[in-house]
Amino acid sequence: NAKDIISIIQNIKEDEVTLILDSNKCVINHSRGKLEVANVDASDMLIPTMESTDDVIELNNEIICNIFKDGMDFVNADELRPTTNGIYLSYKNGVLDAASTNSHILYANSQVIDANSKECNYEAIVSKNCINAIIKATSKEGQCKIKFGNSNIEFRVSNISIICRKIVGKFPNYKAVIPNDFVGTISLSRNELINSIKRLNLISDISKSVKMK
């Protein structure tokens, strides 16, 4: 168990330890003695594979990191709606679209990655279980390659490869609920808006609704 090994090593004060692995156990040697942790058969571990594909895009780590950081708060936790249990990615003709929704709030992001891109159309719903790993891998400067396979999607950063099984199904047509025209547009201070909503929230009813007019 990886958590057990990490906990054991953290409690060893020495800077250097020696790991000895065999089919039945992991031996951790240090200057004051040794510890043994039982293993399970490595052949029992399911290792996902990525099929060969030419459906690959490359972009700055910061772009993909921000998309997943911003979108993760709006991923639906309802297991009865699996197609919203992740973040939707679509790359079409050089434009990267991303979206997530919890049925109450919609997060959408769209940006041009390659204005001279060839005609293409790749898409995937990335499971919420992969989000934190992707954010961690893309948190430093560099480039991220994304491979879109039939059943999996791979994020490769330097020597790190994260392969996620795509959620099967069709993400809701979120663009259909975004109005093309708005009645009006106002500009105001971000801090003033936040403070006003906080004050109203203290006296609002159980629904916590705030009316804007």
Side-chain angles (χ1 to χ4, degrees):
N1 186 297
K3 289 184 178 179
D4 291 341
I5 293 175
I6 291 172
S7 178
I8 291 169
I9 294 175
Q10 285 176 338
N11 289 321
I12 297 173
K13 303 304 180 183
E14 288 80 4
D15 289 335
E16 294 186 5
V17 296
T18 303
L19 296 182
I20 303 173
L21 303 175
D22 63 27
S23 58
N24 298 317
K25 61 187 176 182
C26 171
V27 180
I28 305 172
N29 284 334
H30 58 99
S31 62
R32 297 183 181 181
K34 68 178 183 179
L35 296 163
E36 296 184 1
V37 181
N39 292 340
V40 295
D41 192 340
S43 62
D44 293 337
M45 183 173 181
L46 179 62
I47 300 177
T49 57
M50 189 67 195
E51 63 265 36
S52 177
T53 176
D54 294 327
D55 299 347
V56 181
I57 64 172
E58 184 171 356
L59 62 162
N60 191 284
N61 280 350
E62 185 180 8
I63 295 174
I64 200 71
C65 186
N66 288 340
I67 284 174
F68 280 88
K69 273 185 178 179
D70 295 341
M72 67 184 298
D73 291 334
F74 309 106
V75 171
N76 199 345
D78 185 359
E79 300 294 340
L80 297 178
R81 303 189 65 186
T83 57
T84 57
N85 292 161
I87 293 180
Y88 171 73
L89 291 181
S90 168
Y91 185 77
K92 185 175 182 180
N93 303 337
V95 178
L96 179 66
D97 289 318
S100 61
T101 180
N102 57 15
S103 300
H104 300 286
I105 301 173
L106 169 67
Y107 163 78
N109 184 311
S110 181
Q111 48 191 303
V112 177
I113 303 300
D114 183 1
N116 300 313
S117 170
K118 64 179 181 179
E119 186 173 344
C120 58
N121 189 4
Y122 317 140
E123 62 179 359
I125 305 174
V126 182
S127 170
K128 60 184 179 183
N129 298 324
C130 303
I131 291 176
N132 285 327
I134 295 169
I135 291 173
K136 186 174 181 179
T138 57
S139 60
K140 297 179 180 179
E141 291 184 3
Q143 294 292 110
C144 176
K145 284 186 178 181
I146 305 177
K147 292 184 179 180
F148 293 81
N150 292 326
S151 57
N152 295 330
I153 180 171
E154 178 184 15
F155 298 82
R156 181 174 288 277
V157 180
S158 186
N159 61 339
I160 299 173
S161 177
I162 301 171
I163 300 176
C164 312
R165 184 169 294 279
K166 292 161 62 173
I167 293 177
V168 178
K170 196 74 175 174
F171 193 80
N173 183 12
Y174 67 95
K175 292 184 178 181
V177 302
I178 301 175
N180 293 322
D181 299 310
F182 294 88
V183 175
T185 303
I186 60 173
S187 297
L188 65 162
S189 166
R190 172 180 174 274
N191 289 334
E192 287 182 6
L193 177 61
I194 291 173
N195 292 333
S196 297
I197 294 175
K198 283 182 177 179
R199 289 195 296 270
L200 290 171
N201 193 46
L202 293 174
I203 57 174
S204 63
D205 60 17
I206 194 171
S207 68
K208 298 297 182 182
S209 300
V210 174
K211 182 179 180 180
M212 293 187 181
K213 185 176 180 181

